[in-house]
Amino acid sequence: MKTALDHRFPLLNTGREKTLFIVMCTIFSFFFIYTFVPFNFNTWYDIGKLSLMNIIIAFSVSAALTLVFTQFCLRKWLHLKNFSYGQYFLWFIGEIMFLSVVMTFIDWLLNNHPAISVDYYLLTFKYTLLIAIIPYVIGLLILFAAQQYRLATNLSMKIKANVSALEALPIEDEKGKLILSLQPQNILFFKSEDNYVDVYYLIGSTVKRELIRTTLKKIEEKCQHNDLIRIHRSYTINARNISSSKKTAKGYIIQFDQVPELQIPVSASHQKQFEQYLSN
């Protein structure tokens, strides 16, 4: 049990996950309360003065703002970036206690200022816990499912990339004659020279160059690989082997360690594709 509780809690560690969690909890709680009116709480207030919808909105907005405070502000102030499962359980109880304080205050405002007591707070804590536990669990389950889906997708892409990396790519001339057969990881770039293409590739740590009568378009049709991307009218590169990329006023300039004297520009028409590759 102790080992399980010490494992890292994988959720609510990014701003995006926290925001989605708060939105899901707020929306679910609002519709849950509006649909089922739990604990007959509509009888607690003078509906003639304040509509049921306004009461639900008041509680829902207050709960959402409270979660924003605890997840974004309080965690930052307490330097609680990551949790273990045990720590998150304690955090959950503390968050519900704090939320109950806010709900007690809202109830006090809407209910003609009744006397505040420990029993009054404990009753609010019970109701808050019973209502909050369902959206909490559902929100965490949705985040967990989305996280596992992303992990599975990334793993699948890596497996495909590794499999394709083992397959040699055929480099043919304009008549379809096989000139070279290269592993993708050994390709540096292709440079178009009129009706010819310069192929820069590695044999061990040595850079080799082969001039072939063909076009970049024909090479791209035969050599389809995730890391081979067109960055310029005259260049198709193996982005996996880039050593550096520098953003300038005119766009990106990339270099390869194996050919340090050569600076290859990324044209404006291909910049978006290049940036998308870098972001992925």
Side-chain angles (χ1 to χ4, degrees):
M1 176 65 78
K2 184 179 183 303
T3 302
L5 292 176
D6 288 339
H7 283 172
R8 181 176 175 271
F9 185 71
L11 304 174
L12 300 179
N13 294 321
T14 66
R16 179 176 179 274
E17 286 186 340
K18 294 174 185 177
T19 301
L20 288 174
F21 176 71
I22 293 169
V23 170
M24 286 188 291
C25 286
T26 303
I27 292 175
F28 183 90
S29 297
F30 175 84
F31 284 104
F32 176 79
I33 296 172
Y34 180 78
T35 302
F36 297 102
V37 193
F39 316 117
N40 294 318
F41 86 98
N42 56 316
T43 62
W44 302 352
Y45 307 100
D46 186 355
I47 302 300
K49 294 183 179 179
L50 197 62
S51 70
L52 179 62
M53 176 64 74
N54 289 335
I55 294 172
I56 296 174
I57 290 175
F59 279 111
S60 299
V61 171
S62 300
L65 294 176
T66 302
L67 290 178
V68 169
F69 173 75
T70 56
Q71 289 292 333
F72 286 95
C73 302
L74 194 58
R75 285 185 63 171
K76 183 177 180 180
W77 294 339
L78 297 177
H79 304 289
L80 298 173
K81 186 175 181 180
N82 297 302
F83 289 117
S84 67
Y85 278 94
Q87 289 171 335
Y88 182 75
F89 177 76
L90 295 176
W91 170 265
F92 166 73
I93 298 299
E95 196 167 42
I96 295 298
M97 292 175 66
F98 186 76
L99 186 60
S100 299
V101 172
V102 176
M103 295 299 100
T104 300
F105 177 71
I106 299 300
D107 181 73
W108 181 81
L109 289 176
L110 298 176
N111 205 17
N112 298 319
H113 312 319
I116 300 295
S117 65
V118 174
D119 290 338
Y120 184 72
Y121 169 76
L122 292 177
L123 187 62
T124 304
F125 175 80
K126 182 182 75 172
Y127 290 149
T128 303
L129 177 62
L130 291 175
I131 292 175
I133 190 69
I134 298 176
Y136 252 79
V137 171
I138 291 177
L140 291 177
L141 286 176
I142 292 175
L143 289 179
F144 180 75
Q147 186 183 81
Q148 294 305 303
Y149 175 78
R150 290 195 301 270
L151 290 174
T153 301
N154 291 336
L155 180 60
S156 177
M157 291 177 63
K158 288 180 180 179
I159 291 174
K160 289 180 180 179
N162 290 336
V163 170
S164 61
L166 298 175
E167 299 174 353
L169 299 179
I171 314 295
E172 301 176 350
D173 64 12
E174 62 180 1
K175 296 181 179 179
K177 180 182 177 182
L178 183 65
I179 305 299
L180 291 170
S181 183
L182 298 174
Q183 296 292 332
Q185 66 269 21
N186 292 333
I187 298 173
L188 292 178
F189 58 87
F190 302 99
K191 180 182 179 183
S192 177
E193 299 277 0
D194 295 325
N195 294 325
Y196 291 85
V197 171
D198 262 328
V199 182
Y200 285 78
Y201 61 99
L202 297 173
I203 299 294
S205 59
T206 304
V207 178
K208 298 289 185 179
R209 172 177 171 268
E210 186 79 25
L211 186 64
I212 301 174
R213 186 176 179 85
T214 186
T215 64
L216 277 181
K217 183 178 179 181
K218 289 183 177 180
I219 284 183
E220 288 174 342
E221 289 173 352
K222 283 289 184 180
C223 300
Q224 296 185 7
H225 191 272
N226 293 336
D227 295 328
L228 295 179
I229 58 174
R230 177 75 75 95
I231 62 164
H232 190 276
R233 181 170 56 87
S234 300
Y235 288 96
T236 295
I237 65 165
N238 182 356
R240 183 69 64 179
N241 286 330
I242 292 175
S243 60
S244 68
S245 63
K246 181 180 179 181
K247 185 74 177 291
T248 68
K250 295 182 179 180
Y252 287 92
I253 296 294
I254 66 172
Q255 288 183 284
F256 294 87
D257 280 339
Q258 299 85 351
V259 195
E261 71 280 2
L262 182 63
Q263 294 186 335
I264 302 177
V266 179
S267 65
S269 59
H270 293 89
Q271 183 169 313
K272 185 175 180 181
Q273 179 189 4
F274 180 69
E275 290 178 337
Q276 184 177 4
Y277 179 91
L278 293 180
S279 65
N280 290 336

